[in-house]
């Protein structure tokens, strides 16, 4: 669903289910559809802002926050004219124990799994890679073109940043994760 971010034109994503597939494609739901859906492939649609909102809910214990572009409005002397406060859109229906398992899995992905290219010296982070196929099969390579995704948060024990990298025609582990590492290095070098 739309996050409610304070920008015009946001649209909903899609998490398909058997009813949707029957209505939209006139096809029955197959076991392979379930496999595709749970890993974010197939007909699943989400924007980067929807993904960072979801990631934040995993990290903060289940609060789905309304993203905001502006932190606060200041006058010419630096006084706060209008603060913006955290707005919880809703809580996700996932147990704290299950959210902890997801966070731990994300930490291990950066330590020794698919996301080792996202490591930042001195900062323990956690992340999840993704490579989404799209479009038509390339007859020269026999493969579909891909977009690279990487979701990360850091530091692991006291998160201060949640980040989503979406790289058009990239790959999650090979291109999006190293790019996220550069962003995190920059962020933490300025703290």
């Amino acid at each position: 669903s739309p996050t409610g971010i304070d920008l015009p034109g946001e649209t909903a994503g899609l998490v398909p289910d058997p009813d949707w597939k029957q209505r939209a494609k006139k096809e029955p739901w197959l076991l392979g559809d379930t496999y595709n859906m749970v890993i974010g492939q197939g007909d699943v649609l989400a924007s980067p802002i929807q993904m960072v909102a979801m990631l934040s809910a995993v990290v903060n214990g289940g609060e789905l926050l309304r993203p905001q572009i502006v932190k606060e409005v200041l006058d010419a002397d630096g006084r706060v004219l209008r603060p913006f406060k955290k707005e919880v859109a809703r809580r996700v229906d996932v147990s704290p124990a299950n959210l902890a398992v997801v966070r731990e899995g994300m930490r291990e992905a950066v330590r020794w799994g698919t996301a080792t290219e996202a490591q930042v010296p001195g900062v323990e982070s956690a992340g999840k890679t993704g490579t989404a196929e799209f479009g038509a099969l390339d007859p020269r390579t026999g493969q579909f073109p891909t977009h690279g995704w990487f979701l990360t948060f850091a530091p692991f024990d006291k998160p201060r940043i949640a980040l989503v990298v979406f790289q058009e025609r990239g790959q999650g582990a090979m291109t999006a994760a190293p790019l996220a590492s550069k962003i995190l290095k920059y962020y933490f070098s300025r703290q």
Side-chain angles (χ1 to χ4, degrees):
S1 61
T3 64
I5 191 167
D6 48 345
L7 291 172
E10 183 181 23
T11 61
L14 173 66
V15 178
D17 62 19
D19 291 338
W20 172 86
K21 187 174 181 193
Q22 189 61 50
R23 280 191 323 274
K25 294 185 165 187
K26 309 287 189 255
E27 297 174 358
W29 188 265
L30 305 172
L31 183 58
D33 294 314
T34 300
Y35 294 154
N36 275 336
M37 195 278 302
V38 300
I39 63 169
Q41 293 283 356
D43 294 308
V44 174
L45 299 174
S47 69
I49 197 69
Q50 289 167 332
M51 294 302 291
V52 80
M54 180 275 307
L55 174 60
S56 295
V58 169
V59 172
N60 71 29
E63 291 181 337
L64 191 60
L65 304 176
R66 182 179 166 267
Q68 300 175 87
I69 297 297
V70 177
K71 179 181 177 184
E72 58 195 10
V73 176
L74 306 176
D75 68 11
D77 297 319
R79 289 185 299 257
V80 176
L81 295 175
R82 183 175 174 205
F84 289 83
K85 298 192 185 215
K86 175 174 93 170
E87 186 180 326
V88 178
R90 67 180 190 274
R91 291 201 51 85
V92 296
D93 189 20
V94 180
S95 74
N98 286 340
L99 291 173
V101 168
V102 172
R103 288 190 301 272
E104 186 59 35
M106 291 176 74
R107 174 165 52 180
E108 294 304 312
V110 172
R111 281 183 173 169
W112 59 267
T114 60
T116 57
E117 291 294 318
Q119 292 177 358
V120 175
V123 179
E124 187 175 27
S125 62
K128 173 67 180 95
T129 60
T131 301
E133 296 175 336
F134 71 96
L137 188 69
D138 183 335
R140 294 169 297 156
T141 64
Q143 298 179 342
F144 290 95
T146 61
H147 293 317
W149 286 87
F150 185 65
L151 287 69
T152 185
F153 67 92
F156 181 80
D157 290 329
K158 293 186 181 186
R160 295 196 321 252
I161 184 172
L163 171 68
V164 171
V165 172
F166 171 81
Q167 189 175 33
E168 219 174 323
R169 298 201 179 261
Q171 295 181 327
M174 295 185 348
T175 61
L179 182 55
S181 176
K182 290 179 181 181
I183 295 168
L184 291 176
K185 282 178 191 167
Y186 177 80
Y187 176 83
F188 284 105
S189 74
R190 302 187 54 86
Q191 297 297 303

